[in-house]
Amino acid sequence: MSNITIVGGHGKVALLLAPILRGRGDHATSLIRNPQHADDVEKASAAPHLADIEKLSTEEIAGLLFGQDAVIWSAGAGGGSAERTYAVDRDAAIRTIDAAQQAGVKRFVMVSYMGAGPNHGVPESDSFFAYAQAKTEADEYLSSTDLDWTILHPGLLTMGDATGTIQIVDGKHFGDYPVSRANVALTTAAILHDDATIGRTIEFGDGPVPIADALAQ
């Protein structure tokens, strides 16, 4: 059994991921900032823990992570102001990465988006720029550490079925490769115990290949 902390525990992917982890014997703790979300998290087979990751210091986050085997970052500001997007998707993510190192948690999985990177191509005049830039900087920071990291770049998220099959791609635009949140959850669960995914950025969409086989490509 592994002890896993999910940051952004009330997100759609996180709520689908938690029962998968429970089903294979792992224990998931989901960090949430809204106490009204606790029931949903419990129904998804995770232990809710009230923590506003946007406001916590690195040391406070580290205190939440001691004794954990892995951290999954699946949080996001969810749009809105550029200021808050940077505060959550970049700054809080970076503090959590630092906190994992302080707490001795080696495994770190970042759920990002396809297209993030220094060549994301989103102009500063576009309202999407803050998100693209924040995710890019968080991804780059994680990849510069000595953590056992994996960065997931799923395509356009949908509410489609959990097929258990995906395709690994070299994506330029997330809209070209839709993927169900259920398959993102299955892929996230699969990589946690797959050491071959350490140090990789994995771009993927829905496809015909079983997840384990796709990750082995």
Side-chain angles (χ1 to χ4, degrees), residues 94-189:
I94 288 174
R95 289 198 303 275
T96 303
I97 294 165
D98 288 341
Q101 295 177 95
Q102 286 189 17
V105 184
K106 287 291 289 181
R107 193 71 170 104
F108 199 109
V109 177
M110 174 73 78
V111 181
S112 184
Y113 86 101
M114 186 184 295
N119 299 316
H120 60 69
V122 181
E124 289 191 44
S125 58
D126 193 314
S127 61
F128 193 68
F129 176 83
Y131 180 78
Q133 190 64 25
K135 298 302 280 186
T136 292
E137 292 182 33
D139 289 359
E140 289 184 332
Y141 189 84
L142 176 58
S143 66
S144 74
T145 71
D146 61 358
L147 292 172
D148 292 339
W149 57 267
T150 305
I151 298 170
L152 292 181
H153 280 184
L156 179 66
L157 298 178
T158 75
M159 293 304 295
D161 294 334
T163 64
T165 58
I166 60 172
Q167 59 176 327
I168 305 298
V169 300
D170 183 13
K172 300 300 181 184
H173 189 272
F174 65 95
D176 295 334
Y177 299 97
V179 58
S180 71
R181 289 174 172 85
N183 278 340
V184 175
L186 287 168
T187 302
T188 303

Side-chain angles (χ1 to χ4, degrees), residues 41-67:
V41 169
E42 288 179 343
K43 289 176 183 176
S45 304
H49 187 98
L50 195 62
D52 189 343
I53 207 75
E54 182 181 355
K55 298 178 181 177
L56 295 181
S57 67
T58 300
E59 291 71 23
E60 289 170 327
I61 300 170
L64 301 175
L65 300 182
F66 282 110

Side-chain angles (χ1 to χ4, degrees), residues 15 18-23 26-29 40-47:
L15 290 174
I20 300 170
L21 299 178
R22 176 65 178 272
D26 293 330
H27 180 270
T29 299
D40 291 340
V41 169
E42 288 179 343
K43 289 176 183 176
S45 304

